[in-house]
Amino acid sequence: MPVYAAPLRDYRFCLEEVFDGEAHRALPGFADFTPDVTTAALEEAAKFCQQVIFPLNRSGDEEGCVLENGVVRTPTGFKEAYALFRDGGWPALTCAPEDGGQGMPHMVNVLVEEMAGSANLSFCLYPGLTRGAYVALKRFGTPEQQALYLAKLASGEWTGSMCLTEPQAGTDLGLIRTVATPQGDGSHAVTGTKMFISAGEHDLTPNIVYLVLARLPDAPKGTRGISLFVVPKFLVGEGHRLGARNAVSCSAIEHKMGIKGSATCVMNFDGAAGWLVGEPHQGLKAMFAMMNAERIAVAVQGLAIAEASYQTAAAYARERRQGRRAGTPAEPQAAADTILVHPDVRRMLLTQRALAEGCRMLALWVAEALDISERHTLPAERARAADFVALMTPVLKAFLTDSGSEAANLGLQVLGGHGYVRDNGQEQLVRDVRVTQIYEGTNGVQAMDLLARKVLPENGRLLDTFRDEARAFAAAHRNDSRLAEFIRPLAEALDLLDRATATVLARAPGNPDEIGAAATAYLRLLALAALAYLWTRAAKLALGREGDDFYKAKLATTRFFMQRLLPETLTLHAAIMAGAAAVMELDPAAF
Amino acid sequence: MPVYAAPLRDYRFCLEEVFDGEAHRALPGFADFTPDVTTAALEEAAKFCQQVIFPLNRSGDEEGCVLENGVVRTPTGFKEAYALFRDGGWPALTCAPEDGGQGMPHMVNVLVEEMAGSANLSFCLYPGLTRGAYVALKRFGTPEQQALYLAKLASGEWTGSMCLTEPQAGTDLGLIRTVATPQGDGSHAVTGTKMFISAGEHDLTPNIVYLVLARLPDAPKGTRGISLFVVPKFLVGEGHRLGARNAVSCSAIEHKMGIKGSATCVMNFDGAAGWLVGEPHQGLKAMFAMMNAERIAVAVQGLAIAEASYQTAAAYARERRQGRRAGTPAEPQAAADTILVHPDVRRMLLTQRALAEGCRMLALWVAEALDISERHTLPAERARAADFVALMTPVLKAFLTDSGSEAANLGLQVLGGHGYVRDNGQEQLVRDVRVTQIYEGTNGVQAMDLLARKVLPENGRLLDTFRDEARAFAAAHRNDSRLAEFIRPLAEALDLLDRATATVLARAPGNPDEIGAAATAYLRLLALAALAYLWTRAAKLALGREGDDFYKAKLATTRFFMQRLLPETLTLHAAIMAGAAAVMELDPAAF
């Protein structure tokens, strides 16, 4: 019953109309990514996702992973699917051409990742961490490390894995205990236990490259004493020949709510040979190079599940007949009308749809800036884009994964009891997407990152990368009567955001708890204001083209967003204004 | 790791202070339920829930139910636990003394059901449907049927089961196809397939009493042609001796997201002997007698999971150390502070807590009215209370189960990755509670029931049973400066509700879709206004008694509710005002 077809029409609309495809291709290295090339790549990816990994999604969930004698067996079919993924060159999309990569725009890659996530989230987690490992080594690795690993990671012959969390150290990486002892030959002996390690062990590739946070013997306490090490599962010799097995092993896999096709491992490092990546005690900096890329990838997972759940729920609603349209029956000759006649069913489906399409625009906006930050010829443009990415990365991670969870729950609800049973796949989406609100930094941590580290410093300078553009757009269209129904709520949302920002800026110096008390509501308020801006841009493109069903639907969905979803800003603003007192009053002992 | 201890202190506060225990005991038949008796019963129930069924909750989820040759094996320990439940007299709490029951107030029973649901929701579903079967037979059964079944159901020697849903007939019972053919001896041959039947088959009792919706041969089409039949699994002879096996069997059990310890059955009736309950073609009326009781029970399941999830999350937050309090460390000598210092963690815990305690008051308010509607000596009082129950039953069902889901997801989030793995039980609560938003009528159906059948008829007469009381309370305390911080938001919420009501009343005649478009938001708006009223009553009792930690915490939680949760009314009001247009605009073919 679960259905999925990549929304290629919306992809084209976003890439070429909402965003400026022409300008993007003018960035160095992107000239070849013409609409034809991009469309062909997306169609090829869609075929792989729909035909190869989507059919393994339910079976992978039912079967799960098995650990036997330290070896993880992935679900039936994953190995063959991974081989096709590797042979298709998919791991290399955003890797540099000199490493065998395709140097593809992040804007396109985001859509490939969306399709893969919609089709099979568990599968995505095997190649998913490879990119982070590649990025960290590309940026901080020695030439020797780069020669050893980059091409193998880009080709997908080996996968990467990030080993951060320990039982006592989750959000607080300052508590990490894993130690790395210099061996005098340039290597270190890494010893410690890591947990919640996605793709820590599997049977898809002959080698796995771990990037491990650990402490050198002379390390200061806390986060300033953490270094990054590269630890291969099998030591690598001349010509990338695999040598001895390193002293790293998987001692357990987690039994989880979802993503059961993905092995979440407890990894034991028992004096494993590792090599320092980057400077001593600067591991968190290198780690954040990985983490930011991963946060965007996780955000896209949320979007992916929203889209997948919407498609199945809409397909069900078009077929399922229960009850009659209010007033007069829609199809009197049938035993009942389809449930699409019921306004409350439409409310749920439209919420899913508006979230999926809106989150897609938001993801692409950040991906566009990421491309600019890496490639623009003008340093000032690169810097401005990098500021925008820094601002929006936590917003994207938290809002898109929250939206994925909300949309998946709505999709389940549309199917009712048929959504609660496993057969129709909707409940799996709810279980799978739930982890995205947690991993790569819980959404509460994203909100703190946004408010404390991105918005408040320098009197909101980073925020201006968003609000100046949105304000300018609203001002430029203030007198456009056709757009008035969208510009007015957009301007109101921006006003609420400004008031909230000013209030937290004013209160925070007097009471640092004001930041944490406002953070989650503030992140959602900013996200909704950003969506209001993007939806208005989309509506502007659609107006006057209602003869085409695509644009007609886009306008209807914009109106739904503006009238039914955007008003959440009222509540968020009120919650922020309420301040920290009510949150902090209850005695710790009373909880 | 999951913890649970019944919140007996809050139960006492609700029963004797928020509500008028004295007045309740003045109802006929309740004189014996003194605070001592009630407290003893609640303590006894708490012991059973904590010690007998709570330890089976995780194992029941892991093990699930097994169907072999038509026989359902419940999880290990359930059979023994059910025997203790039966022997303890727990099935009989609200049954009539003449049937061997205890005639206990619904107000107390609600709390017993809350405890049982917190401890083990799957277990609750075996005895859970018995009450509905008892109520339907008590009200509509012939004296012979009552003699055959009531005492056996009250004692829990047999369980009841409700067989409504069919594959093509879920919400729309008018589509039911099961037929009942008169056999000339007063019995009928019942033939058809029912699905999603909780406790349709199990190994806990020697007999099961099915209440089955089916059509007589001469039945009109649609809902006016449905009759109710009682169908025993084993035919019942003299002295309740079990005779031949009836032609009813379980052909499959569902594989579900949660409540895995509960058998959800596909039941085949293959010319099974059944007897008409009540009048021909009046089955829906009898069914609603069961359904309304069940809806309140399902609502309490939502509350139960909110409480259970809160307790485990709070216990975790008191122990888990990550990061430091903003500003200065709370415990500088420790490696890190407990996560209770973080405002965003407190926000999640306080939301859970405010939802659990608020939903408890709301459930007890409806239970109080249910008792009055059944027992008050004055017909006018009974009628008024019955109106209030009719109004509030859908509100309770939808809001409490939505809150249960929200709270459970927050509880999972507090534990982060440790909440996503199965070991700590939080993800099970999320999976288990999810069904409560669906069964006994989806929450969307509840919202339509509220607005279309309860609020709009007679110009909002039923709504006045709530708003007149709340308005009078707000007016009476308008000049109480100590209460001003609560009365003001309460009055604002009531204003928003009045405006929303007037708007929908005005719009509905012109466009029936206005009802469905507003329904879900309207139900939540009414629920939040009702909670604002109940929290204000609670705060009034707590003011001036802050020396007692219980009342101090109650005030802090009230403030959190008023300042951080109640403002959702702003968004709900705006969504209602937006009307049906944006919901109905998108072409059906475009979904």
Side-chain angles (χ1 to χ4, degrees):
Chain A
M1 159 67 200
V3 297
Y4 177 67
L8 295 169
R9 177 71 189 87
D10 201 47
Y11 291 177
R12 211 159 65 237
F13 172 66
C14 289
L15 287 179
E16 298 301 325
E17 297 190 70
V18 178
F19 299 96
D20 188 343
E22 206 64 43
H24 214 63
R25 278 185 290 281
L27 290 173
F30 284 174
D32 290 346
F33 294 101
T34 61
D36 282 356
V37 167
T38 301
T39 298
L42 291 172
E43 283 173 357
E44 201 57 37
K47 216 182 292 175
F48 175 80
C49 293
Q50 291 165 194
Q51 296 175 4
V52 179
I53 60 175
F54 181 58
L56 300 175
N57 193 38
R58 281 262 303 133
S59 57
D61 179 63
E62 294 291 343
E63 193 180 335
C65 294
V66 179
L67 174 70
E68 272 173 1
N69 306 320
V71 177
V72 167
R73 201 170 63 236
T74 57
T76 305
F78 274 44
K79 200 169 177 171
E80 294 73 14
Y82 185 81
L84 288 171
F85 180 83
R86 183 195 62 214
D87 296 346
W90 298 112
L93 289 188
T94 59
C95 297
E98 65 265 25
D99 303 318
Q102 303 185 24
M104 190 173 268
H106 289 293
M107 285 190 85
V108 183
N109 185 56
V110 153
L111 298 177
V112 174
E113 292 193 346
E114 183 200 315
M115 289 186 262
S118 292
N120 192 328
L121 184 53
S122 285
F123 179 85
C124 295
L125 291 175
Y126 293 104
L129 281 302
T130 303
R131 198 241 323 254
Y134 172 89
V135 167
L137 288 168
K138 184 84 183 166
R139 202 153 143 208
F140 298 100
T142 63
E144 195 191 357
Q145 288 166 356
Q146 294 185 342
L148 273 180
Y149 299 114
L150 290 184
K152 289 292 187 184
L153 291 171
S155 69
E157 287 174 84
W158 302 345
T159 60
S161 181
M162 288 163 56
C163 301
L164 284 53
T165 303
E166 299 180 7
Q168 80 293 345
T171 295
D172 188 350
L173 292 173
L175 300 176
I176 279 177
R177 290 186 195 143
T178 296
V179 293
T181 314
Q183 299 297 293
D185 60 354
S187 78
H188 292 72
V190 177
T191 298
T193 300
K194 296 288 180 177
M195 77 185 299
F196 297 153
I197 307 307
S198 293
E201 179 61 42
H202 58 73
D203 54 4
L204 306 181
T205 57
N207 205 8
I208 301 174
V209 181
Y210 302 100
L211 284 156
V212 185
L213 291 181
R215 295 184 178 284
L216 290 166
D218 60 341
K221 280 196 165 183
T223 52
R224 284 173 203 168
I226 296 173
S227 307
L228 185 67
F229 298 85
V230 57
V231 179
K233 178 176 167 185
F234 286 94
L235 299 176
V236 184
E238 284 290 314
H240 296 100
R241 237 196 329 272
L242 296 186
R245 172 74 187 244
N246 207 346
V248 49
S249 61
C250 171
S251 62
I253 57 175
E254 302 291 346
H255 299 280
K256 311 181 297 292
M257 183 184 197
I259 54 165
K260 297 189 184 201
S262 165
T264 307
C265 303
V266 176
M267 299 301 301
N268 291 337
F269 294 84
D270 192 16
W275 286 267
L276 184 68
V277 178
E279 299 297 307
H281 316 319
Q282 299 293 312
L284 280 201
K285 206 173 81 185
M287 194 270 293
F288 272 109
M290 299 189 278
M291 281 282 276
N292 280 329
E294 294 304 327
R295 282 181 186 186
I296 295 173
V298 170
V300 172
Q301 293 170 6
L303 152 63
I305 297 293
E307 174 68 33
S309 177
Y310 168 70
Q311 289 195 21
T312 293
Y316 180 86
R318 284 193 302 263
E319 299 290 329
R320 176 75 169 172
R321 292 179 181 276
Q322 295 285 285
R324 287 296 187 187
R325 186 168 67 184
T328 49
E331 300 176 73
Q333 77 292 356
D337 292 332
T338 69
I339 60 174
L340 266 183
V341 302
H342 303 306
D344 196 62
V345 172
R346 289 175 152 262
R347 171 190 64 80
M348 294 191 279
L349 290 170
L350 281 161
T351 302
Q352 292 189 286
R353 181 182 177 117
L355 288 175
E357 294 183 8
C359 288
R360 182 173 300 128
M361 291 190 284
L362 197 57
L364 287 171
W365 197 20
V366 177
E368 179 187 49
L370 193 57
D371 283 327
I372 293 171
S373 76
E374 291 175 357
R375 302 202 174 233
H376 204 283
T377 50
L378 300 175
E381 285 297 315
R382 288 204 301 275
R384 205 206 67 89
D387 284 347
F388 180 77
V389 172
L391 173 76
M392 282 302 204
T393 297
V395 177
L396 205 64
K397 196 281 183 182
F399 187 80
L400 267 61
T401 59
D402 284 351
S403 297
S405 216
E406 182 184 349
N409 270 296
L410 288 168
L412 191 162
Q413 192 74 15
V414 168
L415 271 71
H418 297 277
Y420 193 70
V421 296
R422 298 172 71 108
D423 316 50
N424 296 313
Q426 289 292 71
E427 63 85 36
Q428 181 188 346
L429 297 179
V430 173
R431 290 185 288 106
D432 283 356
V433 76
R434 189 64 185 81
V435 75
T436 65
Q437 298 171 284
I438 295 168
Y439 61 19
E440 302 302 337
T442 66
N443 286 358
V445 167
Q446 305 297 325
M448 281 301 285
D449 177 50
L450 171 69
L451 201 46
R453 284 194 285 274
K454 307 294 171 60
V455 171
L456 295 183
E458 303 175 66
N459 215 26
R461 186 181 62 78
L462 287 196
L463 180 64
D464 290 343
T465 61
F466 158 66
R467 70 178 290 293
D468 289 356
E469 179 176 336
R471 281 282 181 202
F473 180 89
H477 296 84
R478 188 136 290 166
N479 298 321
D480 184 338
S481 61
R482 296 177 325 151
L483 277 179
E485 61 175 313
F486 311 118
I487 292 289
R488 190 180 21 77
L490 166 60
E492 283 167 8
L494 292 171
D495 285 347
L496 290 176
L497 180 65
D498 280 353
R499 270 185 272 156
T501 307
T503 300
V504 181
L505 272 169
R507 286 178 182 166
N511 178 3
D513 284 332
E514 291 287 348
I515 302 171
T520 288
Y522 186 89
L523 185 146
R524 282 191 75 80
L525 181 54
L526 174 49
L528 287 167
L531 286 183
Y533 167 58
L534 292 168
W535 274 114
T536 305
R537 278 169 56 172
K540 185 186 165 190
L541 294 161
L543 275 168
R545 294 155 90 184
E546 292 89 337
D548 181 329
D549 286 343
F550 178 83
Y551 296 105
K552 194 177 166 203
K554 196 57 87 174
L555 272 175
T557 311
T558 308
R559 291 196 177 101
F560 180 84
F561 172 80
M562 291 292 180
Q563 295 176 33
R564 304 287 300 212
L565 301 187
L566 188 58
E568 190 192 336
T569 50
L570 299 170
T571 296
L572 297 167
H573 176 261
I576 294 165
M577 290 297 161
V583 177
M584 302 311 294
E585 181 178 340
L586 190 69
D587 210 68
F591 277 96
Chain B
M1 159 66 201
V3 297
Y4 177 66
L8 296 169
R9 178 69 190 87
D10 201 46
Y11 291 178
R12 211 159 65 239
F13 171 66
C14 288
L15 287 179
E16 298 301 326
E17 298 190 70
V18 178
F19 299 96
D20 187 342
E22 207 64 45
H24 213 64
R25 278 185 291 278
L27 291 173
F30 285 174
D32 290 346
F33 294 100
T34 60
D36 281 356
V37 167
T38 301
T39 299
L42 291 172
E43 283 173 356
E44 201 57 38
K47 215 182 291 176
F48 175 80
C49 293
Q50 292 164 197
Q51 296 174 3
V52 179
I53 60 175
F54 181 58
L56 300 175
N57 192 38
R58 280 261 305 131
S59 57
D61 179 62
E62 295 290 344
E63 193 179 335
C65 293
V66 179
L67 174 70
E68 271 172 3
N69 306 320
V71 177
V72 167
R73 201 170 62 236
T74 57
T76 305
F78 273 44
K79 201 168 175 170
E80 294 74 15
Y82 184 82
L84 289 171
F85 180 82
R86 183 195 62 214
D87 296 346
W90 298 111
L93 290 188
T94 58
C95 297
E98 66 265 26
D99 302 317
Q102 303 185 23
M104 191 173 267
H106 290 293
M107 287 191 84
V108 182
N109 184 56
V110 153
L111 298 177
V112 174
E113 292 194 346
E114 183 199 314
M115 289 187 263
S118 292
N120 192 329
L121 184 53
S122 285
F123 179 85
C124 295
L125 291 175
Y126 293 104
L129 282 303
T130 303
R131 198 240 325 253
Y134 173 89
V135 168
L137 289 169
K138 184 84 182 165
R139 203 153 143 207
F140 298 100
T142 64
E144 195 190 358
Q145 288 167 354
Q146 294 186 343
L148 273 181
Y149 298 114
L150 289 184
K152 288 292 186 184
L153 290 170
S155 69
E157 286 173 84
W158 302 345
T159 60
S161 181
M162 289 163 56
C163 301
L164 285 53
T165 303
E166 299 180 7
Q168 79 293 346
T171 295
D172 188 351
L173 292 172
L175 301 175
I176 278 178
R177 291 186 195 141
T178 296
V179 293
T181 313
Q183 299 298 293
D185 61 353
S187 78
H188 292 72
V190 177
T191 299
T193 300
K194 297 286 180 179
M195 76 184 301
F196 297 153
I197 307 307
S198 294
E201 179 60 43
H202 58 73
D203 54 4
L204 305 182
T205 57
N207 205 6
I208 302 175
V209 181
Y210 303 99
L211 284 156
V212 185
L213 290 182
R215 294 184 179 284
L216 290 165
D218 60 343
K221 280 199 166 183
T223 51
R224 284 173 204 169
I226 297 172
S227 306
L228 185 67
F229 298 85
V230 59
V231 179
K233 177 176 166 184
F234 286 94
L235 298 177
V236 183
E238 285 289 315
H240 296 99
R241 237 196 326 272
L242 296 187
R245 171 75 189 244
N246 207 347
V248 48
S249 62
C250 172
S251 62
I253 56 175
E254 303 290 346
H255 299 281
K256 311 181 298 293
M257 184 184 197
I259 53 164
K260 298 189 183 200
S262 165
T264 306
C265 302
V266 176
M267 298 302 301
N268 292 337
F269 293 85
D270 192 17
W275 287 266
L276 184 67
V277 178
E279 299 298 307
H281 316 318
Q282 299 293 310
L284 280 200
K285 207 174 80 184
M287 193 271 293
F288 272 109
M290 298 190 277
M291 281 283 276
N292 280 329
E294 294 304 328
R295 283 182 185 185
I296 295 173
V298 170
V300 173
Q301 293 171 4
L303 153 63
I305 297 293
E307 175 67 33
S309 177
Y310 169 70
Q311 289 196 22
T312 293
Y316 180 86
R318 284 193 302 264
E319 298 291 328
R320 176 74 170 172
R321 293 180 180 275
Q322 296 283 286
R324 287 296 187 187
R325 185 168 70 185
T328 49
E331 298 176 72
Q333 76 293 354
D337 291 332
T338 69
I339 60 174
L340 265 184
V341 302
H342 304 307
D344 196 62
V345 171
R346 289 174 152 261
R347 171 190 64 80
M348 296 190 278
L349 291 170
L350 281 162
T351 302
Q352 294 188 284
R353 181 183 179 116
L355 288 175
E357 293 182 9
C359 288
R360 183 173 299 129
M361 289 190 285
L362 196 56
L364 288 170
W365 197 19
V366 177
E368 180 188 46
L370 192 58
D371 283 327
I372 293 170
S373 76
E374 291 175 356
R375 304 203 173 231
H376 204 283
T377 50
L378 299 176
E381 285 297 315
R382 288 203 302 274
R384 206 206 65 89
D387 283 347
F388 181 77
V389 172
L391 174 76
M392 282 302 204
T393 296
V395 177
L396 205 64
K397 196 283 183 180
F399 187 80
L400 267 61
T401 59
D402 284 351
S403 297
S405 217
E406 182 184 349
N409 269 294
L410 288 169
L412 191 161
Q413 193 73 17
V414 168
L415 272 70
H418 297 277
Y420 193 70
V421 297
R422 299 172 71 108
D423 316 50
N424 296 312
Q426 289 291 73
E427 63 85 36
Q428 181 188 347
L429 298 179
V430 173
R431 289 185 289 104
D432 284 355
V433 76
R434 189 65 185 79
V435 75
T436 65
Q437 297 170 285
I438 295 168
Y439 61 19
E440 302 302 336
T442 65
N443 286 358
V445 168
Q446 305 298 324
M448 280 302 286
D449 177 51
L450 171 68
L451 201 46
R453 284 195 284 275
K454 308 294 172 61
V455 171
L456 295 183
E458 302 175 67
N459 216 26
R461 185 183 63 81
L462 287 197
L463 181 64
D464 290 343
T465 60
F466 158 66
R467 70 178 290 293
D468 289 355
E469 179 175 335
R471 282 282 181 202
F473 181 89
H477 296 84
R478 189 138 287 167
N479 298 319
D480 185 338
S481 62
R482 294 177 326 150
L483 277 179
E485 61 175 312
F486 310 118
I487 292 289
R488 190 180 23 76
L490 165 60
E492 285 167 7
L494 293 170
D495 286 347
L496 290 176
L497 180 65
D498 280 353
R499 270 185 270 156
T501 307
T503 300
V504 181
L505 271 169
R507 287 178 182 166
N511 178 3
D513 284 332
E514 291 287 347
I515 302 170
T520 290
Y522 186 89
L523 184 145
R524 282 191 74 79
L525 180 55
L526 174 49
L528 287 167
L531 286 183
Y533 167 58
L534 293 168
W535 274 113
T536 306
R537 278 169 55 171
K540 185 186 166 190
L541 294 161
L543 277 169
R545 294 155 90 185
E546 293 88 336
D548 182 329
D549 286 342
F550 178 83
Y551 296 105
K552 193 177 165 200
K554 195 59 84 176
L555 272 176
T557 310
T558 309
R559 292 196 177 103
F560 180 83
F561 172 81
M562 292 291 181
Q563 295 177 32
R564 304 288 300 213
L565 301 187
L566 187 59
E568 190 192 336
T569 50
L570 299 170
T571 295
L572 297 166
H573 176 261
I576 293 165
M577 290 298 161
V583 177
M584 302 311 293
E585 181 178 340
L586 190 68
D587 210 68
F591 276 96

